[in-house]
Amino acid sequence: MRRTSVLPAVLLAAVLTGCADPADEGKPAGSAQPTAQRTQAAPAEAEPPRTAAEFLARAEEAMGGHQGWTFAVRGREGLVLPGQESAATYTATVRRTTGDRWALHSTGATSSKGVSKPEEIYVADGTAYVKTGTEEWEEGPVTDPEFADRVEDPLAALDAFRRYGDEVTLATPDGRVELRARTTSAPLTGVRDRGVVRKALRELAPTLNQLRAAGVAAPESEISVGGVEETLVLDAATYRITGHTFKCTFLIPYDGQRIRYEQDVTERTSGTYNGTVSLPEALK
């Protein structure tokens, strides 16, 4: 390819950490907004849920009926140009308590260009604490986009899907319930107001800022959505969340070519968590 400006250096050196969704949002998340949880599951009702909103209400009751949950998270984020790629992967175990004063503890690692760095995250009383490798702890409001994008809170998907409203489709294959919001290939200007696309744009924003700082104009009028899809899977009998996925692709024009941005995050429910999440002494 024809190389100009400093884009190749940015693509190879960029630290891609957007796998933390990370919700909203599972980010991918925006992904770290508190979800009101009931402490006890409601009694079973005679009429089964039929609409997406009713399934979301049952899922909130089911997940709130336990002290906490453990989730396994895997993610990948990348930039691609012909003959060149920069990517990072992320894996973590997330322990998340329920109730009004919910808390979260995540332990995992980010890997890029063959180098792996451990990452540890706490969320308590609305504050996120993040430590990567040997760096000092960073802290800030969990509502701050800088921190929200790094916190994976799988239960935040419940709030996200409620906000999507009519964008959500419902399917009930054997043994599970699938709630899905998706957008297929389209110019960004035509779909940017869709809830699931707004979430994807929050995930894209840090990388887009890096590209613009490197001289890539990337006006929104010329960016295309390759596709965005978010899926929340529930157990059909218990209504518990069993899985949450978020995928997005954007095509960004550059020097007669297109930079492809990709993100793919999967969260699986591992089981209940009966412990508590307490900040280490260094953060108290």
Side-chain angles (χ1 to χ4, degrees):
M1 69 176 188
R2 182 157 57 92
R3 299 187 178 189
T4 60
S5 184
V6 293
L7 180 60
V10 171
L11 288 176
L12 292 175
V15 178
L16 298 173
T17 57
C19 292
D21 179 350
D24 189 36
E25 266 217 275
K27 195 218 10 215
S31 59
Q33 298 299 318
T35 302
Q37 302 290 333
R38 296 177 176 86
T39 57
Q40 296 295 330
E45 299 176 12
E47 291 296 324
R50 289 185 171 83
T51 66
E54 290 172 347
F55 276 109
L56 289 170
R58 291 292 186 89
E60 184 173 355
E61 292 172 351
M63 300 304 285
H66 291 269
Q67 181 173 323
W69 297 88
T70 301
F71 303 92
V73 179
R74 299 182 64 88
R76 182 187 181 279
E77 185 177 32
L79 287 174
V80 181
L81 267 173
Q84 188 173 22
E85 180 176 1
S86 177
T89 58
Y90 177 75
T91 59
T93 298
V94 176
R95 298 169 182 84
R96 206 275 203 188
T97 64
T98 59
D100 292 337
R101 293 175 62 85
W102 67 272
L104 178 150
H105 181 210
S106 172
T107 53
T110 298
S111 179
S112 178
K113 296 182 290 184
V115 178
S116 181
K117 289 185 177 181
E119 183 174 78
E120 187 170 17
I121 298 172
Y122 285 91
V123 176
D125 295 325
T127 300
Y129 306 84
V130 181
K131 181 178 177 61
T132 302
T134 59
E135 299 174 7
E136 297 294 325
W137 284 96
E138 302 176 68
E139 67 176 86
V142 74
T143 53
D144 184 327
E146 179 183 350
F147 290 93
D149 285 345
R150 300 173 72 178
V151 175
E152 284 293 342
D153 177 11
L155 295 189
L158 294 170
D159 283 339
F161 272 79
R162 274 191 285 264
R163 288 192 293 270
Y164 295 159
D166 292 340
E167 295 179 30
V168 178
T169 60
L170 171 65
T172 55
D174 291 344
R176 66 186 187 275
V177 176
E178 295 180 353
L179 304 172
R180 182 175 287 110
R182 87 169 32 149
T183 297
T184 56
S185 179
L188 174 58
T189 53
V191 294
R192 75 167 337 275
D193 289 335
R194 293 178 64 87
V196 72
V197 176
R198 289 199 299 269
K199 175 175 179 175
L201 281 173
R202 288 193 292 272
E203 299 293 333
L204 172 67
T207 300
L208 195 59
N209 290 338
Q210 286 182 335
L211 292 172
R212 286 170 173 164
V216 181
E220 281 200 4
S221 60
E222 298 179 16
I223 296 176
S224 296
V225 177
V228 181
E229 181 174 310
E230 185 170 7
T231 304
L232 185 64
V233 181
L234 312 179
D235 182 277
T238 65
Y239 309 116
R240 295 176 180 176
I241 296 173
T242 61
H244 173 235
T245 61
F246 178 80
K247 302 177 182 180
C248 67
T249 302
F250 289 93
L251 302 174
I252 304 164
Y254 171 69
D255 195 26
Q257 303 179 83
R258 293 194 298 184
I259 303 169
R260 182 182 180 92
Y261 170 87
E262 304 170 328
Q263 185 179 145
D264 186 339
V265 180
T266 299
E267 302 163 344
R268 301 294 183 197
T269 305
S270 302
T272 58
Y273 176 64
N274 297 319
T276 59
V277 174
S278 300
L279 295 177
E281 289 298 324
L283 299 178
K284 293 181 180 178

